[in-house]
Amino acid sequence: MSNKKDYNQQEIILDSISEGVFTVDENWRITSFNRAAHEITGIAPSEAIGKYCRDILHADVCQSDCTLQQTMNTGKAVTNRVVHIIDANGNKRAIAISTALLRDKAGDIVGGVETFRDMSTIENLRKEIMQKYSCEDIISQSPKMRNIFEVLPNIAKSNITVLIEGPSGSGKELFARAIHNLSSRKDKPFIAINCGALPDALLESELFGYKAGAFTDAKKDKLGRFDLAQGGTIFLDEIGDVSPVMQVKLLRVLQEKTYEPVGAVASVSADVRVIAATNKKLEILVEQGKFREDLYYRINVMRIELPPLKDRKEDIHLLINHFIDKFNRIHNKHITGVTDQAAAALLAYDYPGNVRELENILEHCFVLCSGDLIQVKDLPVHLRRSSGANQSCAASSGVTIKQMEIELIKAAIDRNNGNKTAAAKELGIDKSTLFRKIKSLGI
Amino acid sequence: MKIAISVWNNSLSNVFDFSTNVLIVDIEDAKEVARSKVNLEDTLAQQKAKKLKDLGVETLICGAISREVVFALDSVGIEVLAYVTGEVEEVLQAHLNNSLDAAKFVMPGCWHGARNGFGGCMRKRRLRSCAKEAINKKGG
């Protein structure tokens, strides 16, 4: 009786703490699994108990470098080791684990205990501050983007000049950073500069630096961005907005791999990889005589063309989930998703500002949303208007109810990653009804 | 057809994302005709997927897997039978006998869509299992 009482108390204590805790016996089978462990891994204690811990934790160290095994072998506790797991949402997340031995009253080892806490917020913040993005951070399942991901590592390794074309907000800098972080230059600086934001004289001194006395107020030498990027990568954003004079100077850097700081008498060699980006079609600018052909061919060694978000609408649900996750952390909220109507409005929109605009829309929703789900009323006015217009159009013409049905079914299937059973459940209809509708609506 | 099994020693590797060794098995008329071990080396999802595709693999049997890797494998047309656990030989036999849906081979923690690769009655069972998990999760 007393043992049972102790056990219950122990369970209450374990469930009340915010760190995940599980214990294993000598055969690595889980003997207890607390509430926080359930929350972090997404696996219920009833599923976890009795299973091998490696089948539950899904961590990168389980097979190659098991921390609990180290503790069992050496008897020494390990504290706060950061590892990665795959959680029950299919996402990679960082956790910090600590391990210790469990002994019986006689002092014999009877198993081990592992405690862990979610580090994903800290890791994501660190990533944002350090801007250490990789392919994994670019969210897309669109075939166009997947084709780019496939060649990205080879492009990164090659050290060639890259031109990234794509509309504003499509992630040009993210790709440039991913290329840099995948390359052998990853431990050297990545320097970004928006060429369109600066007038010529300023751009020249920003890019190449200047010597003391080069002009009034130039009291001491100043390093330029090419200097700062030595050994690393320079990202020249909005290259299409550079003046003809600056185009000549950039051409020289690309051709000769040397440049002259303003007011200098000697050239400086530049060991810098150049990644340029533009939201304009450089080919057309060349035809119009606004961009030098020789510079165009110098930077267009490898071209990556990023599609606008309206051409990869299959990514909208993934991006919505990603940003909801991000803003939940930032705003300390627990929003679980969007309603079908809000999803339909978000899907129907064309996003002239691309992913950046979608992110801003969702941040707007987070400020206004007071429940678990983002609703149409939480969307910005222009999206509400277009969604309202669709609804009134549906009411007046009588045919768009069918269109709305198609949208809602497609959205539910997308949200459930193609799982029609789960989609039917979410839509509140029988699976056979969903299959019949898919057939009759020609989805 | 060729299948790949993500392996670690004699067992299935617990997470495909973090493992590099696969056993490639050539199957004809539901019988094994050849096998070889391959080190994928690459850690990036797209490169792993491409390498498997280049090896002629049509189906991958593995443990836990992230969405990112499933998308990459899906984009090159490789079927994924994920969240499988057990000894390699047992899993292979179960696959040949079409009995990989037995409870002993099911690894907990699957996410919706991770097991879409399972076909026929196996798929139904997997989907039922996933739906049950989802209900339990919502309830808990």
Side-chain angles (χ1 to χ4, degrees), chain B residues 11-24:
Chain B
S11 306
L12 251 74
S13 179
N14 68 331
V15 186
F16 180 65
D17 295 51
F18 308 134
S19 82
T20 52
N21 293 321
V22 287
L23 178 71
I24 308 282

Side-chain angles (χ1 to χ4, degrees), chain A residues 324-341:
Chain A
I324 285 177
D325 199 30
K326 176 180 171 181
F327 293 133
N328 269 334
R329 290 194 198 112
I330 292 173
H331 297 281
N332 200 21
K333 286 193 168 188
H334 300 282
I335 290 172
T336 53
V338 296
T339 62
D340 287 343
Q341 291 82 357

Side-chain angles (χ1 to χ4, degrees), chain A residues 12-206:
Chain A
I12 292 165
I13 293 166
L14 282 176
D15 281 347
S16 69
I17 60 175
S18 60
E19 289 199 342
V21 181
F22 70 81
T23 54
V24 293
D25 62 18
E26 289 166 293
N27 299 315
W28 310 103
R29 290 200 184 262
I30 292 179
T31 49
S32 71
F33 201 76
N34 77 340
R35 183 191 51 81
H38 176 190
E39 279 170 13
I40 296 169
T41 62
I43 297 174
S46 57
E47 282 183 280
I49 289 171
K51 301 275 174 26
Y52 287 115
C53 52
R54 70 184 178 92
D55 281 350
I56 298 298
L57 197 60
H58 303 156
D60 52 357
V61 291
C62 288
Q63 291 174 338
S64 54
D65 193 16
C66 174
T67 313
L68 206 44
Q69 190 166 29
Q70 272 180 28
T71 299
M72 298 275 235
N73 292 345
T74 63
K76 286 180 187 166
V78 174
T79 51
N80 283 329
R81 181 180 178 196
V82 177
V83 304
H84 290 88
I85 61 165
I86 304 294
D87 68 16
N89 286 319
N91 298 320
K92 201 182 284 181
R93 91 168 41 193
I95 59 169
I97 58 175
S98 302
T99 52
L101 289 177
L102 282 179
R103 293 178 192 272
D104 62 11
K105 282 178 185 165
D108 295 326
I109 296 169
V110 290
V113 57
E114 184 159 319
T115 61
F116 53 100
R117 60 198 162 88
D118 188 8
M119 295 288 285
S120 46
T121 308
I122 294 167
E123 183 156 275
N124 287 336
L125 286 172
R126 186 188 295 137
K127 200 175 257 183
E128 285 207 11
I129 293 165
M130 305 291 285
Q131 304 263 296
K132 288 277 178 197
Y133 295 112
S134 69
C135 286
E136 294 169 8
D137 301 300
I138 304 168
I139 292 152
S140 181
Q141 62 179 116
S142 118
K144 283 181 188 172
M145 296 287 272
R146 291 273 137 197
N147 288 341
I148 300 172
F149 293 161
E150 204 171 293
V151 293
L152 212 60
N154 291 337
I155 294 174
K157 279 177 204 156
S158 68
N159 213 26
I160 54 173
T161 304
V162 181
L163 172 64
I164 305 174
E165 283 187 345
S168 293
S170 58
K172 296 186 288 290
E173 185 167 342
L174 200 58
F175 269 88
R177 286 188 185 275
I179 292 171
H180 172 74
N181 290 326
L182 285 169
S183 75
S184 55
R185 295 172 178 265
K186 66 177 183 223
D187 298 324
K188 299 286 180 179
F190 174 93
I191 304 290
I193 182 164
N194 188 328
C195 302
L198 299 169
D200 255 19
L202 205 51
L203 181 61
E204 185 179 0
S205 58
E206 272 300 316

Side-chain angles (χ1 to χ4, degrees), chain B residues 25-45:
Chain B
V25 184
D26 230 327
I27 297 171
E28 274 175 29
D29 298 326
K31 280 183 184 149
E32 177 187 341
V33 289
R35 66 163 67 189
S36 58
K37 273 195 175 175
V38 175
N39 189 325
L40 294 175
E41 290 165 2
D42 301 302
T43 50
L44 290 173

Side-chain angles (χ1 to χ4, degrees), chain A residues 323-324 326-327 330-331 333 356-369 374 378 380:
Chain A
F323 289 128
I324 285 177
K326 176 180 171 181
F327 293 133
I330 292 173
H331 297 281
K333 286 193 168 188
R356 193 182 294 133
E357 186 178 6
L358 175 61
E359 184 177 6
N360 292 342
I361 287 170
L362 287 167
E363 188 150 33
H364 172 107
C365 296
F366 259 74
V367 173
L368 298 181
C369 181
I374 292 170
D378 303 323

